[in-house]
Amino acid sequence: MLIIKPKVDFVVSVEAEITPDIADDLEKAKNFEVYYGKDKVKLEDLFEITKEGDDKKLVLDGDFSKVKWIGCRMEDGEIVVKGNVGANCGAYMKGGKIIIEGNADDWLGAEMSGGEIIVKGNAKNCIGCAYYGDMQGMKGGKITIEGNAINYIGEKMAGGEIEIKGNAGDFIGTEMTNGLIVIHGDCGFVGGDMKGGEIRIGGKFELMPTFKKSEEGFVGDINVGGKGVVKTL
Amino acid sequence: MHHMLHIKNGIVIDPKNGIKAEKMDIFVKEGKIVEESEIDKSQCKVIDASNKLVVAGGVDMHAHIAGSKINTGRTMRPEEMRMVRQIANKFRATVGRVLLTSPAIGYEYAKMGYTTSFEAAQPPIGALHTHEELDAIPMVDKAALPVFGNWHFVLKYVAEKDIEKLKTFIAWAIERTKGFGVKVVNPGGVEAWMYGKNCRNLDDEVPNFGITPREIITSLIKATEELNLCHSVHLHCNNLGNPGNFETTIETMKLANGFSNDKRQVLHVTHVQFNAYAGSSWRDVGSGAAEIAKYVNSVDNITIDMGAAIFGHATAMTGDAPFQFTLHKLLNARWSNKDSEIEGGAGIVPLMYLPKNPVHALQWAIGLELGLLIDSDKVVLTTDFPNGGPFTEYPYVMAMLMSKKMREKELEKVSPFVQKAANLPSIETEKSLEEVIHMTRDLPARILGLENKGHLGVGADADIAIYNLNPNEIDASNDYELINKAFRNALYTIKGGTIIVKDGQLVEEVWGTTYWVDATKNVDMKAIEDDLNEYFDLYYSIEKENYGVEEAWIKNPTRLVMG
């Protein structure tokens, strides 16, 4: 297990594609290359790194809200963030677990295909979405947000599950083809151009007029011949 | 910086001048190839090309490298821009997977030993934008072909059977757009698209004009020949992309009967792969390449380019707006439709060629069949970048044309549909290195009418590529991997006498010229003045006085006067 603490308050964003793969070797971790703004630096230049035990785990202790791409493409192991985390956390993730004790930023778990992300606080926009231009968003795994999220949840989602225990904003499951989105609170527009999958909502929400009421719930989006289901929890 | 150069002991292939893999020296002074006696050997830089292939710089006569179409493609495909090719250093930063940024286009051509590239379809009203983008492409010489086949003036003069006015209009339009020649895209079909229709056959009527694609093509060939432009009509046929269209293509080629030109073809039919499908639907589609090859080989006034499809990412972008709508529906892919007022339109659709997809595999096979079955003096190697794939894959196509063994290996990876629907598996032909050099150098230069390009004779532009290949030792049919590799990274690329690439790496940035054709000498602009004023008043969103591009706005123009 590595404990990683920021040495300073970051003036610009840090792009650090760190995964639990670096946990086995302290030297490797210290020399891991990250970007600080436009400069390529070593992880140890920005963070204090200590090793405790041999488990495949990273503990990020402090404010990581300016640190992007944490856990990007990770396949196994565990990352615990004891604070806030920056954008693109868990993007393209295939396996393992990320626990964020504070808040998450945009693009959480974007295009992930496996593994689990748990956010104890709030998250922002584009959770489990497809990056601009790509055909599929989240394909597998699970994202749980204990607090609230904002807009664009599970855009082009093709599998897996997103659960938001608080409220969310607009554009939930846009162009979704498969998978499950559960929102316990209220949200805005739901299911535009949805082709498949299911959205369950606990509170109030707004539905496009292109959904048909059926026994299962609301089925659509009929604009695109979709068979997605939107229903109340 | 212009050096005097002495390229020593290279093995030269120069088909235009009849040089077949001979050991000889090439001399360069002030950007031109000169006689040995003209250079001062004490001041001259010597390049030792012993046992290396020395050829003219490549000429790409049909690619979409600048203008509103590729730019719309870039805008609608942000995913293309995630591939970083080069971070800024002595050269500019470049990105792009297939849809490269402007500097990347110049750099990638240079690395391959290509030194000339033509933008093949310029919407006339977007001419200024096209030239500004061409001006942002370093390393290569360039030009743009404005599109004529659906322009209301053209349709009007064809309907009135007034060839004199048509000639005058062509001369006016090429001068105004600083264009190079007469490009025609789906003549009449794009005008019909304004009403949700298309002209798939040569005798379909163009709405409101009472004319047919047949008349448009014939009139444009006649006008172009009478104006004696350096490049012939450059035609994207009707009925593109539809099963059974090879018949339309052959019918169209027959329209050139009765026209001839001592120097060049009278009709260049472009990206024929997309126009060479047999069958009646996507279920029974097959290759019509053999029939087309048979026709092209039997006449001497037609040339074509392959428009080969390469597996992987591509973006369809063409002035053929109705076809793009068909493609969008077929692929369920993103689509952008462009309108260029009374001149035509365009469409852009992202796509990807997958080896296991029967239709894609067939397209891949047809492109190669055209290259193999047609006489090397009539077919140019292109991918219709980025429609068939990236131009950076030309070396792959070159190697495929030269090696049956490589084709057999590639055929194992593709859909078995090709085995019954295409001729490729049974084609034994292997093009020689000389033929492939011809198809990528002096043939496109001849087709475009560029006398100083594509060869290494005295007086030619010093655009030279040196590759790590010894033509006297290589056995292309077995060593196809060496061919594929060598042509990707030139040992040296020399542009106008300056060494721009060494060992596959950029060493110096140069800015090529933009050719444009001035054919106004033999026409009287007064003949069409009233019509221009009327149409600009009634239909255009801008004033006639604000239309077009002035020569002074172009970075490094070269005016070619026709007379």
Side-chain angles (χ1 to χ4, degrees):
Chain A
M1 180 175 84
L2 292 182
I3 300 167
I4 302 175
K5 288 181 185 172
K7 283 183 178 169
V8 288
D9 286 340
F10 301 123
V11 184
V12 291
S13 294
V14 179
E15 297 192 18
E17 299 186 13
I18 47 173
T19 67
D21 288 350
I22 62 168
D24 59 338
D25 183 345
L26 189 60
E27 280 311 300
K28 189 169 81 179
K30 283 182 173 175
N31 289 313
F32 190 85
E33 282 184 338
V34 300
Y35 278 95
Y36 184 38
K38 68 182 175 72
D39 300 323
K40 208 181 233 183
V41 298
K42 289 175 183 166
L43 195 62
E44 66 169 351
D45 296 340
L46 304 177
F47 301 92
E48 209 179 284
I49 310 167
T50 47
K51 188 163 167 28
E52 273 180 22
D54 284 331
D55 42 342
K56 203 168 184 182
K57 184 173 173 182
L58 303 179
V59 176
L60 310 185
D61 192 0
D63 182 16
F64 282 74
S65 57
K66 276 208 162 88
V67 186
K68 299 177 177 178
W69 299 101
I70 287 169
C72 164
R73 295 177 209 280
M74 76 182 261
E75 292 179 358
D76 55 359
E78 190 178 347
I79 299 178
V80 178
V81 187
K82 292 182 178 284
N84 300 334
V85 74
N88 306 298
C89 178
Y92 306 111
M93 176 175 177
K94 290 185 185 130
K97 192 171 183 181
I98 301 177
I99 299 168
I100 298 153
E101 296 187 353
N103 300 324
D105 209 309
D106 292 342
W107 299 106
L108 179 76
E111 299 191 20
M112 73 187 274
S113 55
E116 190 175 2
I117 301 176
I118 298 166
V119 183
K120 300 279 172 68
N122 301 322
K124 290 190 178 169
N125 303 285
C126 304
I127 297 163
C129 281
Y131 284 113
Y132 297 133
D134 288 347
M135 302 305 287
Q136 285 189 328
M138 179 173 179
K139 290 174 265 296
K142 185 171 181 188
I143 301 175
T144 309
I145 292 152
E146 308 271 354
N148 303 321
I150 315 181
N151 299 324
Y152 297 105
I153 312 297
E155 188 184 30
K156 296 185 181 162
M157 182 168 173
E161 186 180 342
I162 299 174
E163 183 174 9
I164 296 166
K165 301 214 168 144
N167 303 321
D170 280 321
F171 316 124
I172 314 298
T174 306
E175 292 188 63
M176 175 174 182
T177 56
N178 207 343
L180 173 65
I181 300 175
V182 181
I183 297 170
H184 293 268
D186 302 335
C187 65
F189 278 109
V190 166
D193 280 359
M194 182 179 183
K195 294 191 184 79
E198 194 170 321
I199 303 174
R200 296 180 201 147
I201 302 160
K204 288 182 286 191
F205 63 97
E206 290 187 66
L207 194 63
M208 317 286 273
T210 50
F211 280 76
K212 266 187 190 163
K213 200 169 181 180
S214 77
E215 281 177 17
E216 273 187 283
F218 296 95
V219 178
D221 181 330
I222 55 173
N223 257 348
V224 293
K227 294 190 169 55
V229 175
V230 178
K231 62 182 179 190
T232 49
L233 262 178
Chain B
M1 199 167 41
H2 288 294
H3 296 286
M4 273 191 277
L5 295 177
H6 177 186
I7 302 167
K8 212 170 174 177
N9 293 333
I11 313 292
V12 176
I13 296 183
D14 184 7
K16 183 174 179 181
N17 297 303
I19 297 165
K20 301 173 180 179
E22 287 168 35
K23 185 169 162 181
M24 61 185 280
D25 292 4
I26 303 277
F27 303 93
V28 172
K29 187 182 170 185
E30 284 163 7
K32 296 278 180 188
I33 291 171
V34 296
E35 302 276 9
E36 182 171 3
S37 59
E38 287 209 30
I39 65 158
D40 173 357
K41 286 203 179 157
S42 66
Q43 291 190 15
C44 156
K45 184 177 165 60
V46 177
I47 295 175
D48 179 12
S50 304
N51 300 321
K52 310 292 182 202
L53 171 65
V54 178
V55 294
V59 178
D60 195 346
M61 63 168 299
H62 189 109
H64 300 279
I65 56 171
S68 53
K69 282 197 303 297
I70 183 160
N71 227 23
T72 303
R74 290 173 182 134
T75 313
M76 68 192 275
R77 300 205 68 183
E79 74 275 20
E80 278 285 326
M81 297 299 151
R82 277 181 218 138
M83 180 172 158
V84 177
R85 287 178 172 264
Q86 176 176 297
I87 58 169
N89 44 48
K90 184 182 167 190
F91 301 93
R92 280 180 293 166
T94 57
V95 301
R97 183 171 60 193
V98 174
L99 295 179
L100 309 177
T101 51
S102 302
I105 289 172
Y107 295 153
E108 295 301 326
Y109 270 125
K111 286 185 204 164
M112 282 199 318
Y114 267 67
T115 49
T116 305
S117 180
F118 273 41
E119 161 57 44
Q122 172 201 56
I125 198 168
L128 181 56
H129 174 188
T130 310
H131 280 289
E132 283 175 346
E133 269 196 63
L134 286 176
D135 275 353
I137 300 177
M139 310 312 230
V140 295
D141 288 336
K142 51 240 166 178
L145 298 167
V147 289
F148 282 86
N150 295 279
W151 207 337
H152 280 200
F153 292 104
V154 171
L155 305 182
K156 174 181 158 75
Y157 297 140
V158 171
E160 290 169 1
K161 302 195 192 316
D162 195 334
I163 292 291
E164 284 309 311
K165 280 189 180 175
L166 183 59
K167 279 161 62 182
T168 312
F169 175 71
I170 290 172
W172 175 84
I174 295 182
E175 188 279 324
R176 280 289 74 206
T177 58
K178 297 297 172 283
F180 189 83
V182 179
K183 174 72 187 296
V184 183
V185 176
N186 187 0
V190 188
E191 173 60 20
W193 171 241
M194 306 292 175
Y195 306 90
K197 295 178 189 138
N198 195 357
C199 289
R200 287 178 56 167
N201 299 303
L202 287 180
D203 297 314
D204 287 354
E205 195 175 299
V206 184
N208 304 328
F209 285 93
I211 54 169
T212 61
R214 184 187 297 278
E215 292 168 275
I216 300 172
I217 297 165
T218 319
S219 305
L220 284 170
I221 295 176
K222 193 164 195 292
T224 303
E225 292 310 304
E226 287 186 14
L227 280 169
N228 201 15
L229 300 183
C230 54
H231 182 38
S232 68
V233 166
H234 188 123
L235 176 66
H236 159 138
C237 288
N238 299 74
N239 207 7
L240 177 135
N242 296 312
N245 63 6
F246 85 92
E247 289 177 21
T248 316
T249 308
I250 293 174
E251 276 300 298
T252 306
M253 287 173 169
K254 287 180 180 163
L255 298 179
N257 282 347
F259 294 100
S260 68
N261 189 307
D262 298 339
K263 287 188 173 170
R264 53 154 175 81
Q265 76 295 345
V266 295
L267 177 65
H268 178 79
V269 183
T270 192
H271 47 67
V272 174
Q273 178 269 120
F274 295 104
N275 284 81
Y277 308 145
S280 57
S281 75
W282 289 115
R283 279 174 219 285
D284 67 353
V285 65
S287 168
E291 287 82 353
I292 288 178
K294 201 173 147 198
Y295 185 78
V296 174
N297 288 339
S298 73
V299 294
D300 58 6
N301 57 359
I302 286 175
T303 53
I304 73 145
D305 63 80
M306 291 161 70
I310 307 287
F311 293 122
H313 292 278
T315 303
M317 51 180 66
T318 159
D320 194 342
F323 165 68
Q324 293 294 64
F325 180 69
T326 310
L327 189 65
H328 151 68
K329 284 293 193 193
L330 196 69
L331 300 175
N332 202 11
R334 277 168 279 168
W335 169 54
S336 174
N337 182 59
K338 303 290 276 185
D339 172 66
S340 43
E341 309 205 354
I342 59 166
E343 301 172 349
I348 297 100
V349 176
L351 79 166
M352 190 173 177
Y353 295 101
L354 304 167
K356 298 291 177 196
N357 177 309
V359 172
H360 297 171
L362 178 67
Q363 291 180 294
W364 165 85
I366 292 174
L368 295 165
E369 285 174 12
L370 291 164
L372 289 164
L373 297 174
I374 294 176
D375 178 353
S376 305
D377 198 37
K378 290 172 183 167
V379 57
V380 177
L381 193 155
T382 66
T383 59
D384 188 16
F385 167 77
N387 287 285
F391 63 77
T392 48
E393 289 300 322
Y394 287 175
Y396 166 85
V397 182
M398 294 166 96
M400 287 288 273
L401 294 177
M402 290 164 74
S403 170
K404 165 96 173 148
K405 205 178 246 181
M406 180 177 181
R407 296 200 295 271
E408 279 169 356
K409 221 170 159 196
E410 292 289 290
L411 274 164
E412 287 169 17
K413 300 181 202 160
V414 311
S415 163
F417 181 68
V418 167
Q419 298 291 340
K420 63 167 184 173
N423 310 312
L424 188 67
S426 64
I427 297 176
E428 299 290 334
T429 311
E430 289 183 331
K431 296 267 177 180
S432 67
L433 186 57
E434 199 191 328
E435 286 174 300
V436 171
I437 295 300
H438 180 57
M439 288 164 70
T440 52
R441 268 82 183 169
D442 59 318
L443 175 63
R446 184 188 82 204
I447 291 173
L448 293 168
L450 296 172
E451 287 173 0
N452 297 331
K453 296 287 179 200
H455 70 104
L456 298 173
V458 169
D461 291 344
D463 297 349
I464 304 164
I466 305 176
Y467 295 103
N468 193 10
L469 271 185
N470 184 343
N472 293 326
E473 282 174 9
I474 190 106
D475 168 15
S477 62
N478 288 311
D479 299 336
Y480 51 84
E481 273 163 12
L482 283 177
I483 300 273
N484 191 354
K485 195 170 157 233
F487 282 110
R488 276 171 202 271
N489 285 304
L491 216 48
Y492 284 91
T493 305
I494 296 160
K495 173 77 192 65
T498 305
I499 298 171
I500 56 172
V501 169
K502 195 179 170 196
D503 296 329
Q505 302 292 317
L506 305 172
V507 291
E508 190 160 340
E509 186 171 78
V510 296
W511 293 91
T513 191
T514 301
Y515 292 107
W516 71 277
V517 163
D518 184 350
T520 55
K521 217 166 86 181
N522 297 329
V523 295
D524 180 8
M525 286 303 166
K526 284 214 170 60
I528 59 165
E529 207 175 286
D530 289 345
D531 292 338
L532 287 172
N533 288 335
E534 187 194 336
Y535 275 42
F536 271 91
D537 260 6
L538 287 175
Y539 306 122
Y540 265 109
S541 63
I542 61 170
E543 298 281 334
K544 192 178 107 203
E545 287 66 28
N546 297 327
Y547 188 89
V549 182
E550 301 304 329
E551 191 171 30
W553 300 347
I554 299 174
K555 197 180 264 173
N556 186 9
T558 299
R559 176 202 299 234
L560 304 173
V561 180
M562 304 289 124

